[in-house]
Amino acid sequence: MADGVTLVKTPEVRPEDDKSAPRQWVRQRIDVLVCVAYVLCAGYLTAGLWQGGPDNRTLSVNPNDQILIEWFMARASRFWVGDFSLVTDRLNAPEGINLMSNAAHILHGILLAPVIAVAGVATAFALCVALNLAGTAIGWFFLFSRVSRIGWMSAAVGAAVCGFGPAMITQSNSHLHITAQWLVPPIIYCVVRIFRGQRPLITGVVLGVLVASQAFLGEEILFLAALSLVVFSLAYAAFRRNDVRKALPDLVRGLSVAMAVGALLLAYPLTIQFAGPQAVRHLEWSVAYVADLRSYVAFPPLSVAGGGLPAPYDVGKLALGPTEYNTFLGWPLVLLVAVLVGWLWRRRGGVVPAVAVTGIVMVLLSFGPRLVIDGHNTGIWMPYELIKGLPAVDGALPTRYAIVLLPLIGLLVALALDRTFEGRFTTVAVPVAVTVALIPLVPLPLPTAARQPVPTYFASGDWQQCAAPGQTIVTVPLPEPGDPLAMRWAAATDTRFALPQGFFVGPYGAHGTAAFGVYPTSTSQLLTKVRKSGVVPPIGAKERTQAERDLRYWKSSCVVLGPDPRQAELRAALQALFGPGKPVDDVWVWKL
């Protein structure tokens, strides 16, 4: 089609046949400028993580998940030295955890290993937050401008919606497995190439590799991308039957190859995830994260119209937390989308109807099993009830189905602007309407706060006087889901020693279902009470015998008390349990 997006086969243009080299030179520089602009925007939004150094800053909305991700990335960076497995004993010693059952950021850690080795895992985390935003926008820009043949300015605006929309900003608060969407545009590009009959077998191989790679970035996004592609394809086929019928042989060949390659690469990891040690089953809490109907017309707090998030980040009744503003699009954008769908419906060869159908399906699924309006559960049945509890489905929170809307809206905006800018429909109404709808959603910098540095004892490597690499150190406080601080200390050593307990998803819920963390031991419970109350209870032979048993269970002969507001009380309790400790650097050590 000359007027908009088409998925039908188009002839490939060889570089030697292209007579417009000067024009290509200009276009390449425009591409560079657009990409630089995205990187600068991402840098501005994450500036708070760099002020004073990433080691001393944290995302104040979700600091515990940041510690978790830093530990995961440090663990994955050990891939290059051979100290890595999909079930690791470096957390929840001695039982370990299943990395595939957690959002373990394996590919992030592998790719950023040089940064972790040179500048530390906190720097790698800050870089990852920014690169996920910029990389996602860049991927969609090239997909829109190259594959959909949308003008660069229109494509740039649409891709900005994809990379910096409300869902991307809210998930940037330490949910980097959700914002790591920069492989999704290449995946879609491969599907389009196969549909067009452009080397379907080779493209199928590339597609299989990309799908497997995305699984190690974030399986939740891979699931949402696959589901939305299926819905889009079925809707497109309903409007363009002849095109789909002609492309069917190539689709069968290319997608079969992709499935074979993906299955080959993921066979072992998925076996570990679902049948390996520490594998988890049903995520019972997932159905609690549903979208409120009114949230779709509300402005996200992390935007110009929202005015920012005042501490303690009270999100009211429209979302369960400040990391889940996935549906906060604002009423101007919702109205704009409805108008653009009606305006472009018959002009885009089945693409816009397919976009509309996909968007409606994802909106309905985002409501969860029952419709909630303004915080009130109406009891009205929703389609999510049909898939609730299915294997792998509960791994994606219902409200996150709305994340798919950003690329769909970005494409609609790009198509509408392209029709205007390219002179096909000269009017100022579309650019003005897009501006009015998007300006309120301009994101604000991510909220950050200062955090204490890693104790010198761990940062300097002195911990190796207490335990050899691979052995267990019992830190006090012990890491747990509500306070995983010690995991940050371990991450600073590239997870070269093991920790008991921890913040992770494991099979410790009812009947072996998924739960955060593990059952605390008696010694752990005692120390937690001391830390919370500041009162040291009577400690006798019974408590000392139990502490010895717990240390044997953890396979540790070393206890380290780190800096803590209750350090004096905790030191008294530890002395009653294990005898006098030794001050080393900025910690106390009991080598037993």
Side-chain angles (χ1 to χ4, degrees):
M1 293 176 63
D3 182 21
V5 177
T6 179
L7 296 181
V8 297
K9 183 173 181 179
T10 56
E12 295 186 86
V13 178
R14 296 177 299 174
E16 59 269 25
D17 296 335
D18 191 355
K19 306 302 183 182
S20 56
R23 186 176 178 181
Q24 280 192 349
W25 184 89
V26 173
R27 182 58 185 271
Q28 290 170 358
R29 275 139 189 83
I30 290 175
D31 292 343
V32 171
L33 290 175
V34 171
C35 294
V36 169
Y38 290 148
V39 172
L40 292 176
C41 288
Y44 166 74
L45 294 173
T46 59
L49 287 173
W50 300 96
Q51 296 170 357
D55 284 330
N56 304 313
R57 304 295 295 178
T58 185
L59 290 169
S60 54
V61 167
N62 195 8
N64 286 350
D65 276 7
Q66 178 172 343
I67 293 174
L68 175 66
I69 293 173
E70 289 177 352
W71 190 92
F72 279 140
M73 292 175 65
R75 177 92 286 264
S77 72
R78 303 291 297 171
F79 170 86
W80 297 109
V81 295
D83 180 21
F84 182 78
S85 63
L86 295 178
V87 179
T88 177
D89 62 354
R90 300 300 166 85
L91 200 61
N92 188 34
E95 295 182 3
I97 69 168
N98 189 316
L99 291 177
M100 291 301 299
S101 293
N102 288 262
H105 297 267
I106 294 174
L107 189 56
H108 275 142
I110 292 174
L111 295 177
L112 293 175
V115 177
I116 295 172
V118 173
V121 71
T123 300
F125 174 87
L127 191 63
C128 189
V129 178
L131 291 181
N132 277 354
L133 292 170
T136 299
I138 290 170
W140 286 107
F141 170 72
F142 282 106
L143 186 71
F144 291 163
S145 62
R146 294 296 195 270
V147 179
S148 300
R149 296 199 176 95
I150 296 173
W152 72 267
M153 188 180 300
S154 305
V157 176
V161 174
C162 303
F164 300 96
M168 289 291 290
I169 300 303
T170 187
Q171 295 294 337
S172 289
N173 289 292
S174 299
H175 287 172
L176 306 191
H177 64 294
I178 300 297
T179 61
Q181 299 180 26
W182 31 273
L183 287 182
V184 175
I187 287 173
I188 296 175
Y189 169 66
C190 288
V191 174
V192 173
R193 279 184 58 89
I194 293 173
F195 184 89
R196 292 175 174 175
Q198 297 172 340
R199 300 181 178 179
L201 298 182
I202 295 176
T203 306
V205 173
V206 176
L207 177 59
V209 173
L210 290 174
V211 167
S213 300
Q214 180 62 49
F216 291 106
L217 274 181
E219 288 181 307
E220 195 166 352
I221 288 300
L222 178 60
F223 169 75
L224 293 175
L227 178 62
S228 57
L229 272 173
V230 169
V231 175
F232 181 94
S233 300
L234 292 175
Y236 184 82
F239 288 92
R240 299 295 294 267
R241 293 187 182 88
N242 291 334
D243 292 342
V244 173
R245 190 179 297 113
K246 293 177 182 178
L248 195 57
D250 289 327
L251 283 172
V252 171
R253 288 197 298 270
L255 295 181
S256 297
V257 170
M259 292 175 62
V261 172
L264 179 65
L265 295 176
L266 293 175
Y268 174 71
L270 292 181
T271 300
I272 293 295
Q273 177 175 349
F274 294 106
Q278 297 297 100
V280 301
R281 293 188 284 118
H282 182 53
L283 301 180
E284 294 182 346
W285 63 79
S286 64
V287 293
Y289 288 83
V290 299
D292 190 302
L293 176 62
R294 197 167 74 83
S295 67
Y296 275 97
V297 295
F299 293 112
L302 295 174
S303 68
V304 170
L309 269 174
Y313 310 119
D314 181 15
V315 299
K317 55 188 176 182
L318 298 183
L320 285 184
T323 61
E324 300 298 336
Y325 294 125
N326 308 306
T327 55
F328 286 59
L329 300 177
W331 64 264
L333 183 57
V334 172
L335 180 60
L336 175 68
V337 168
V339 172
L340 292 183
V341 168
W343 180 46
L344 298 172
W345 184 271
R346 294 185 178 278
R347 295 180 173 87
R348 300 293 171 171
V351 170
V352 172
V355 166
V357 171
T358 307
I360 291 172
V361 170
M362 296 303 160
V363 168
L364 291 175
L365 291 175
S366 74
F367 293 134
R370 297 293 183 270
L371 181 64
V372 176
I373 302 177
D374 202 21
H376 172 66
N377 189 333
T378 65
I380 298 175
W381 184 91
M382 288 285 108
Y384 185 84
E385 183 70 38
L386 296 173
I387 61 174
K388 181 180 68 173
L390 291 178
V393 169
D394 58 4
L397 306 184
T399 180
R400 293 182 183 171
Y401 284 84
I403 293 173
V404 174
L405 298 178
L406 285 185
L408 301 177
I409 294 172
L411 178 58
L412 283 176
V413 168
L415 290 173
L417 290 176
D418 187 58
R419 180 168 173 79
T420 300
F421 292 155
E422 295 301 319
R424 304 186 187 108
F425 189 81
T426 305
T427 180
V428 297
V430 173
V432 169
V434 169
T435 302
V436 169
L438 295 184
I439 282 185
L441 303 180
V442 171
L444 299 175
L446 298 174
T448 59
R451 65 175 175 176
Q452 291 183 343
V454 174
T456 303
Y457 181 75
F458 294 104
S460 65
D462 288 343
W463 63 271
Q464 295 179 81
Q465 301 172 12
C466 180
Q471 293 183 340
T472 303
I473 294 179
V474 177
T475 59
V476 179
L478 280 90
E480 57 184 10
D483 185 9
L485 178 62
M487 291 174 60
R488 183 173 173 235
W489 304 344
T493 71
D494 293 338
T495 69
R496 285 188 290 162
F497 65 84
L499 286 170
Q501 299 188 172
F503 178 21
F504 61 95
V505 177
Y508 298 103
H511 309 294
T513 56
F516 286 117
V518 67
Y519 322 116
T521 64
S522 297
T523 303
S524 172
Q525 292 179 33
L526 186 153
L527 295 172
T528 298
K529 290 179 181 178
V530 172
R531 189 170 183 237
K532 290 182 177 179
S533 66
V535 177
V536 181
I539 295 176
K542 178 182 177 181
E543 288 76 18
R544 284 190 288 271
T545 300
Q546 184 61 50
E548 292 176 2
R549 289 198 191 102
D550 290 341
L551 259 66
R552 283 197 297 270
Y553 169 71
W554 288 326
K555 298 182 179 179
S556 175
S557 59
C558 182
V559 178
V560 176
L561 171 60
D564 192 272
R566 302 284 193 187
Q567 189 183 64
E569 293 86 349
L570 288 168
R571 178 156 54 92
L574 291 169
Q575 286 176 339
L577 289 171
F578 305 118
K582 176 183 178 183
V584 181
D585 296 329
D586 45 1
V587 303
W588 283 80
V589 178
W590 282 260
K591 178 75 172 175
L592 308 177

